[in-house]
Amino acid sequence: MSAQTLYDKLFDAHVVRMEDDGTALLYIDRHLVHEVTSPQAFEGLRIAGRKPWRTDTALAVPDHNVPTSHRDQGIIDPVARTQVETLDANCREFGITEFAMDDIRQGIVHVIGPEQGATLPGMTLVCGDSHTATHGAFGTLAFGIGTSEVEHVLATQCLLQKKMKNMRVNIEGVLGAGVTAKDIVLAVIGKIGTAGGTGYAMEFAGSAIRKLSMEGRMTICNMAIEAGARVGLVAVDDTTIEFVKGRPYAPEGHLWDQAVSAWKQLVSDEDAVFDTEITIDAASIKPQVTWGTSPEMVVAVDDRVPDPAVEVDQVKSSGMQKALDYMGLSASMPVNEISIDKVFIGSCTNSRLEDLQQAAEVIKGRKVAANVKQALVVPGSGLIKQRAEELGLDKIFIAAGFEWRDPGCSMCLAMNADRLEPGERCASTSNRNFEGRQGQGGRTHLVSPAMAAAAAIAGHFVDVRNF
Amino acid sequence: MEKFTRLTGIVAPLDRPNVDTDAIIPKQYLKSIKRSGFGPNAFDDWRYLDAGEPGIDNSTRRVNKDFILNQSPYDQSSILLARENFGCGSSREHAVWALTDFGFRVVIAPSFADIFFNNSFKNGLLPIALDAAVVDDLFKAVDGKKGYQLTVDLDQQKIITEDNNEIAFEVDEFRKYCLLNGLDDIGLTLQHADDIRTYEQRMKQVTPWLF
């Protein structure tokens, strides 16, 4: 057999049948479900009189709408409450396991899957959420789907898919101090653009990726979609296997041994050919800050906001000007002169224990700047929150002036009460800086947890390497 | 799903790249548990000058008259003309539901984000990717005549302009078949239920920890 990429191996192992035009019926091993993109799918099943094909592969959790404070009072917003209650009712009716809002295991869907060992190497995993690419960090073929496809997976355990093209992004060498996985992925998006990965499965490789923890790899795969790629991947190695071992949903005993020997094959063959391949020197990556309304609008913290007047492409130049107008920034201003109103540390990109530790490291013994109206820390799951409290991180954040909240998507997309007011500017560890993403008229700058923490203390963006 | 065969309609130009699904339907409307009713809130942040919330009467809101879809005859358009990477960002199918509920059946752009592209076909919305230069020409034609119309023929895979020029477009065979016939692909997949069971039996031996 000819040499295969990791993506080829994962795809081929899940083909149930193949049509002449290359459309595959692909088997799905794990289906993660949340409250926002599932109600219409369950309703579709009911209307058609269909039952889920396999309920044991599904795991549900409410995360987008849940409040991050005063949870004992329930959800105040009646529309949001109805949606979460609808998820509870659908899981009861169809026999699907759910970590409900009062469960310590509740959290952001892309955080709890890996935390529980529900995300395993070699699986196909889908969820009605574009950040499903996160799970690719485990050598898992994971991608986001729409609600019609959620219904299709529930009813058939399969999806109709065409094979994507293969891209490999090599990050070689050693990262500088203070530079994190978030900076790597923002730098990649800045280089290839938000559509640079469209149509591709994007494998992240190279010595700098191999050195990253699973948390860091998840951060990178999480944002593959911001480069247009539905699938992000990292090959399986000892770091992967160590992370999975002993988790509640992971196999045990002889099944564990059998699984591990299969998982060790989950790497791209040495002579596998990629349709596109890029290499970035890790040492050249500096802490990144987005300045515009698309994740590709990103520069290093010691750089300046770009000038649309020097962009020759007319469509691009007018897009840049629109972004500057929306963001209330002027061309060529230094990034470290941009002052902020709010700070958000959380989201499926950066709400894991390592992220909170990196932020706490910067904050320890310091105070949030007077011009910062609100600084939030929203852990990715109840278990992360509990562990962070055991380590005393909550006390560091609270002493500095941060609010220590309950787990959920929170201000990443502002479906709950956590949001920006019009014109407010936020240093955010989330994944999207689109217009209105964190609240209508809100202005988002994407950064790493360490950079968000430093900005909170300084009141403006600042290079965490000199902080 | 509603069939799509041939359509003639007014083209609305939306001249910006990277239109994301957050812009097409803002997050507050995703709290709905229905598939319908998103049309009045399509492009909500651009279409209205005040903040919108689910359940409020949109007819009482301050309308942004500068926004193309608030202008006649573009409020009646069924074809949306856009720039590169249309539909990027969140997987929310609500974005497609908002466009179809508004009245769109076709989106023409140089490129689309993958998930949006997939979601469109499941809901009778035809996304057509054309060369950036061809899209540019269409923008010029639309700018040159108020209420400019195009005809889209899916079976023939061509767009016919007002001056009878024909522009061919690509569409996946299977998706075309489903769209022309308005087919629900869950039903089609379930015709292969035996293949799925055979696959499961085989994989129980290969990867028993997944069963």
Side-chain angles (χ1 to χ4, degrees), chain A residues 13-14 17 27 40 53-54 77 83 129 146-148 152 162 199 230 413 415 432 435-437 440, chain B residues 16 22 27 30-31 34 45-46 51 89-91 93 114 118-119 172 189 192 195 199-200 210-211:
Chain A
H14 289 87
R17 53 176 282 127
Y27 193 80
Q40 298 87 352
W53 183 277
R54 244 186 100 181
D77 174 356
Q83 197 168 51
D129 189 283
T147 298
S148 294
H152 196 283
K162 280 209 161 172
R230 286 175 85 183
L413 86 167
M415 274 190 81
R432 289 189 174 131
E435 285 186 20
R437 172 77 179 182
Q440 200 195 27
Chain B
R16 50 201 294 166
D22 273 83
K27 82 284 257 130
L30 309 189
K31 293 172 192 170
K34 298 182 189 152
D45 284 1
W46 295 339
S90 158
S91 65
E93 198 159 317
D114 288 342
N118 264 327
N119 288 342
D172 188 86
T189 296
H192 304 301
D195 290 338
Y199 175 89
E200 286 179 327
L210 296 180
F211 291 88

Side-chain angles (χ1 to χ4, degrees), chain A residues 88-150:
Chain A
D88 298 342
N90 282 327
C91 288
R92 272 197 306 274
E93 178 183 341
F94 290 99
I96 289 169
T97 303
E98 184 198 10
F99 297 164
M101 210 168 82
D102 57 355
D103 191 316
I104 184 80
R105 298 169 298 176
Q106 180 270 341
I108 304 172
V109 67
H110 306 307
V111 173
I112 67 153
E115 183 171 79
Q116 292 295 319
T119 302
L120 294 174
M123 275 182 162
T124 43
L125 181 155
V126 295
C127 175
D129 189 283
S130 61
H131 291 110
T132 308
T134 310
H135 308 264
F138 290 81
T140 304
L141 176 52
F143 51 91
I145 57 177
T147 298
S148 294
E149 290 180 313
V150 169

Side-chain angles (χ1 to χ4, degrees), chain A residues 10 19 47 63 84 138 154 157 164 179 193 200-201 224 231 244 250 320 343 346 348 359 371 399 415 418 420:
Chain A
L10 293 167
E19 301 297 337
I47 289 167
D63 58 1
V84 171
F138 290 81
L154 285 169
Q157 207 57 42
M164 301 173 198
V179 183
Y200 287 96
V231 168
V244 173
M320 287 167 73
V343 177
C348 58
N371 62 304
M415 274 190 81
D418 311 334
L420 301 181

Side-chain angles (χ1 to χ4, degrees), chain A residues 67-79:
Chain A
T68 60
S69 58
H70 308 295
R71 201 166 269 189
D72 51 328
Q73 294 168 18
I75 305 176
I76 310 283
D77 174 356
V79 193

Side-chain angles (χ1 to χ4, degrees), chain B residues 1-6 105 124 154 178-183:
Chain B
M1 185 175 74
E2 198 180 338
K3 284 183 190 178
F4 187 104
T5 49
R6 188 182 160 100
R105 299 297 313 278
L154 176 60
C178 288
L179 214 48
L180 283 173
N181 297 290
L183 291 176

